[in-house]
Amino acid sequence: MRTIILCLLSYLALLSHAHAILTIEIVGGTEEGGQPIAIVPFGLQTTMSAPSQDIAQIVSDDLHRSGRFAIMPVHSLPEQPSDSNQINYSLWQAVGMPHLVIGRIASQVKNSYTVEFELFDVVKRQAMIGFRYTANKQSLREAAHQISDEIYQALTGERGVFSTKIVYVTLQRQGKKKQYHLYVADADGANPRLMLKTGEPIFSPSWSPDGQRIAYVTYDTNKRTKQMAVYIQELTTGKRTRISSKRGLNTAPAWSPDGKRLALTLSKDGNSEIYIINLQTRALTRLTRNSAIDTEPEWSPDGKSLVFTSDRGGQPQIYRISVNGGKAQRITFQGRYNARPRFSPDGRQLALLHNGGNGYQIAVLNLENRQLKKLSQTRLDESPSFAPNGSMILYTAGPSLSAVSIDGRVRQRLAEDMGGEVREPAWSPYFNK
Amino acid sequence: MIKMRDLVLILAVVVLAGCTTNKSIEKQNPAHKIPTSTPPPILGDTTMTQSVPCANPPCDSYGTAIGSQQDQSSSVDIPDRQIIYFDYDKDNIRPKAHLILEEHATYISNHPNAYIRLEGHTDERGSREYNLALAERRANAAKEVLLILGVFENQLVTISYGEEQPVALEHNEEAWQLNRRVELIYP
């Protein structure tokens, strides 16, 4: 067995409990087709009191939300072993269960836990994987997500996203007063961490490729007027830097894959155009020249081109342009409104906001066969963002967030528990590549 | 933020337009005086595209207002109508909006120390960032008209709020029309 010591990131200690948290509700989809799996409640060392986090439950929730698994309900489990020599394989075979997860938690020192789990192939009657983690009270949840990642990868062959994060904006209305918050939370909505609180709107949060910084837009206020500005904020220190506050628009920041440049929309020259700013030298390069609206740039994963929204053809559609400029090629032709493109991690698909006459919905455009597939069913959707493994898309649906598996099979709704609006989600990249 | 005067205007417009869907707004019948000139029904505005601004007062209420303001320029109040409305995904100035901008051009030209903040807005539909660009185009379109009407550029500032500050929170065509607007604010 391999031992993984969880590094407790410094900011975890700064977590505040008073913040609104996102609550997740599975709203659609089916478990049919998901791989059956049994996750037995983890055994506890006899002398210890139960830890604050139910590891098996967190793992079950993670795997369930991925849409790839059908989790056996706890009350249906034929037995609840916590050690491999306790497993009666014929009981599991009798109920047709191919995979079984068991585990145990021990605590020798106060606020220090050892968590072990094993995944078994019931037919072969042998362990597939097994790991031991050392964690404290604050990192137990993270250990559970890492267990979910291991199981997901062992059984699907793909990397899991349970240890990643999301960033989003919330809006609380108190009469005429508005309060905007920028939060970073775990991918399941737990552990929200406040990044910014302001009375001014916050737009377009965007992760740096290394997951260490977030770019976003808000307004600077002074006596005479308000001015839009693009900021970059560091996750660990909270330090923020103003990147652009030109006259007019300063919107839609998008990181280059190498993290050294930011594409953004400025209207300093009179019309909304796409520019690239070198974050080291602050040199600005203009990419588009068109009297129409050009905005919402997004880099291709290879860094060679960008896609963006333009209404140069009379309606908003997606165009592609070389990072060196030149002529832009239109790439969406279906529907009267296609905007806010986001590349899938493999660069083969674009998630976008689509209106084909039935409201504003999230769709995925396959860039190889040009097929467009609608993934959302509501009419006022916005802001799609791919999970870093491409398995799910997170987006805004009215006052809450929704996540849908890329095959459309599983849907979940993430609402703010304090009744505010939550919007503009962006799924983080992997923190260790 | 929307001022009481704007709210009164919207109320008047909604009531006069005969919209029955906007109950939450209609219920708040204001104690304040409704502007004396009759605001047009917003939703019927697209039918006005062929009408020509009236040059000869008092053939309509706007013409009257402009004429009277020019006569008593220094004492006249800030024009009552401080919101102009737009078509879906468009930034062109409707004839009615042009008349309102003329009132403001007259006022601001006679008050060289005042300035106007043109705040552009869209309805909630579509992409948030695209809407920021669209709302800015609307504010700039209003600014261009004011410049043509002789207003000095240093008396005008623009800002875009996109879909961020709706005045009507319902999700229907009436609310969307009220939200597709540029507000002329005298800070």
Side-chain angles (χ1 to χ4, degrees):
Chain A
M1 277 205 192
R2 178 154 57 106
T3 300
I4 300 171
I5 306 291
L6 284 179
C7 295
L8 181 58
L9 299 173
S10 59
Y11 65 78
L12 281 175
L14 301 171
L15 287 178
S16 162
H17 328 285
H19 299 312
I21 60 165
L22 294 180
T23 54
I24 296 188
E25 175 197 355
I26 309 284
V27 289
T30 164
E31 300 214 337
E32 280 169 32
Q35 292 192 47
I37 187 168
I39 297 160
V40 178
F42 282 23
L44 297 180
Q45 182 191 335
T46 47
T47 53
M48 69 178 280
S49 54
S52 55
Q53 304 286 349
D54 183 342
I55 304 282
Q57 188 62 50
I58 295 169
V59 172
S60 297
D61 290 347
D62 280 349
L63 295 178
H64 175 53
R65 276 198 315 276
S66 75
R68 305 286 290 269
F69 294 92
I71 317 287
M72 187 177 223
V74 172
H75 62 80
S76 304
L77 299 172
E79 60 167 354
Q80 298 200 7
S82 60
D83 199 278
S84 57
N85 57 27
Q86 299 168 341
I87 300 173
N88 181 345
Y89 287 102
S90 30
L91 281 179
W92 296 99
Q93 280 172 320
V95 294
M97 180 53 64
H99 295 112
L100 170 65
V101 174
I102 64 166
R104 54 221 155 256
I105 304 169
S107 178
Q108 313 293 349
V109 188
K110 194 164 185 277
N111 195 23
S112 173
Y113 299 96
T114 307
V115 181
E116 295 177 343
F117 87 95
E118 289 160 286
L119 167 66
F120 291 93
D121 182 321
V122 171
V123 178
K124 291 181 183 162
R125 301 190 170 207
Q126 67 186 38
M128 296 172 69
I129 52 168
F131 294 113
R132 176 187 299 136
Y133 302 82
T134 305
N136 60 22
K137 207 186 275 179
Q138 285 78 24
S139 61
L140 264 179
R141 209 178 164 87
E142 204 169 325
H145 291 317
Q146 291 194 14
I147 292 170
S148 305
D149 282 334
E150 295 292 349
I151 296 168
Y152 184 90
Q153 180 143 22
L155 295 179
T156 68
E158 284 171 23
R159 191 167 175 187
V161 291
F162 307 111
S163 301
T164 58
K165 294 188 181 296
I166 56 175
V167 62
Y168 54 91
V169 176
T170 67
L171 165 61
Q172 300 274 351
R173 293 175 206 270
Q174 295 139 344
K176 277 188 158 187
K177 206 171 154 236
K178 290 179 176 180
Q179 198 63 252
Y180 291 84
H181 295 89
L182 181 69
Y183 282 109
V184 169
D186 294 350
D188 64 355
N191 295 328
R193 181 188 169 223
L194 183 63
M195 302 289 293
L196 180 70
K197 178 181 176 180
T198 168
E200 297 299 327
I202 304 171
F203 302 109
S204 314
S206 165
W207 292 88
S208 65
D210 63 3
Q212 299 303 308
R213 289 168 293 169
I214 289 169
Y216 57 82
V217 174
T218 186
Y219 294 87
D220 286 343
T221 48
N222 63 40
K223 219 171 82 184
R224 190 168 156 96
T225 187
K226 290 176 183 176
Q227 174 59 54
M228 221 179 256
V230 174
Y231 283 90
I232 288 177
Q233 191 162 350
E234 290 176 19
L235 237 65
T236 45
T237 64
K239 186 185 156 207
R240 66 193 211 127
T241 311
R242 190 191 292 122
I243 299 300
S244 175
S245 58
K246 309 275 188 212
R247 201 170 76 115
L249 296 174
N250 296 262
T251 64
W255 297 83
S256 64
D258 64 8
K260 293 176 179 168
R261 289 162 291 169
L262 209 57
L264 75 173
T265 302
L266 303 175
S267 60
K268 68 182 183 68
D269 299 328
N271 185 46
S272 65
E273 304 285 356
I274 292 166
Y275 296 76
I276 294 173
I277 187 165
N278 181 316
L279 291 175
Q280 240 167 10
T281 64
R282 297 292 174 95
L284 204 56
T285 314
R286 181 168 166 178
L287 203 59
T288 58
R289 289 175 194 280
N290 193 291
S291 59
I293 291 174
D294 293 328
T295 186
E296 303 179 325
E298 158 86 346
W299 297 74
S300 64
D302 65 9
K304 290 179 181 164
S305 64
L306 292 96
V307 291
F308 62 97
T309 308
S310 177
D311 72 341
R312 58 184 67 188
Q315 300 163 324
Q317 296 290 347
I318 311 296
Y319 292 75
R320 188 167 197 154
I321 191 168
S322 161
V323 70
N324 301 316
K327 194 168 156 39
Q329 303 272 335
R330 180 171 165 179
I331 58 174
T332 51
F333 295 93
Q334 195 177 331
R336 62 185 182 206
Y337 192 112
N338 289 292
R340 245 276 322 223
R342 287 293 182 270
F343 274 103
S344 62
D346 64 9
R348 290 180 180 165
Q349 302 182 88
L350 275 186
L352 43 85
L353 179 59
H354 169 78
N355 188 344
N358 206 14
Y360 296 80
Q361 299 171 326
I362 306 304
V364 169
L365 175 69
N366 182 319
L367 291 170
E368 281 150 17
N369 62 21
R370 297 290 160 132
Q371 289 216 322
L372 189 80
K373 185 175 140 193
K374 275 179 262 178
L375 281 182
S376 70
Q377 299 159 326
T378 35
R379 298 172 62 89
L380 284 171
D381 301 331
E382 282 186 53
S383 310
S385 171
F386 268 101
N389 65 357
S391 67
M392 302 197 84
I393 290 175
L394 185 63
Y395 62 94
T396 313
S400 53
L401 304 183
S402 281
V404 59
S405 58
I406 196 74
D407 59 6
R409 225 165 48 79
V410 173
R411 288 167 199 287
Q412 49 197 286
R413 188 169 155 268
L414 295 84
E416 211 214 34
D417 65 343
M418 285 162 75
E421 290 177 29
V422 52
R423 52 173 68 157
E424 296 202 82
W427 211 313
S428 80
Y430 286 117
F431 292 94
N432 48 340
K433 297 270 157 102
Chain B
M1 248 186 20
I2 175 160
K3 289 183 183 162
M4 201 58 202
R5 188 204 307 267
D6 305 332
L7 188 60
V8 169
L9 174 61
I10 290 167
L11 283 168
V13 167
V14 169
V15 171
L16 291 163
C19 301
T20 53
T21 51
N22 224 337
K23 282 181 184 160
S24 61
I25 292 183
E26 274 186 330
K27 272 179 191 166
Q28 312 168 351
N29 203 7
H32 306 261
K33 205 182 82 182
I34 286 174
T36 46
S37 58
T38 306
I42 295 168
L43 298 174
D45 196 61
T46 46
T47 63
M48 294 286 292
T49 46
Q50 306 213 337
S51 73
V52 175
C54 179
N56 216 352
C59 83
D60 82 25
S61 55
Y62 306 122
T64 312
I66 294 166
S68 58
Q69 277 180 16
Q70 276 167 342
D71 294 338
Q72 32 179 302
S73 53
S74 56
S75 62
V76 84
D77 287 341
I78 291 171
D80 280 329
R81 285 180 292 276
Q82 298 188 353
I83 306 181
I84 59 173
Y85 296 96
F86 292 82
D87 293 341
Y88 168 76
D89 198 26
K90 293 281 185 284
D91 63 358
N92 45 299
I93 301 291
R94 294 172 178 176
K96 204 152 293 174
H98 201 280
L99 293 173
I100 294 173
L101 292 173
E102 286 173 24
E103 293 178 6
H104 288 273
T106 304
Y107 176 82
I108 197 84
S109 298
N110 289 313
H111 293 80
N113 293 326
Y115 74 100
I116 306 176
R117 189 167 71 229
L118 299 155
E119 298 186 348
H121 302 271
T122 69
D123 67 35
E124 64 182 337
R125 294 175 293 171
S127 168
R128 212 166 272 278
E129 288 106 333
Y130 179 82
N131 283 340
L132 281 169
L134 178 59
E136 186 185 63
R137 280 184 83 93
R138 289 175 177 164
N140 282 338
K143 179 180 170 181
E144 270 173 43
V145 169
L146 292 171
L147 291 174
I148 288 166
L149 293 170
V151 177
F152 290 112
E153 187 163 17
N154 64 8
Q155 285 182 280
L156 300 171
V157 293
T158 58
I159 187 146
S160 171
Y161 284 109
E163 63 183 88
E164 206 49 49
Q165 297 194 346
V167 289
L169 295 175
E170 295 83 1
H171 312 290
N172 55 43
E173 188 51 56
E174 288 83 358
W176 292 331
Q177 174 60 91
L178 288 173
N179 293 334
R180 291 193 300 267
R181 70 201 194 277
V182 166
E183 296 191 24
L184 295 95
I185 309 286
Y186 290 82

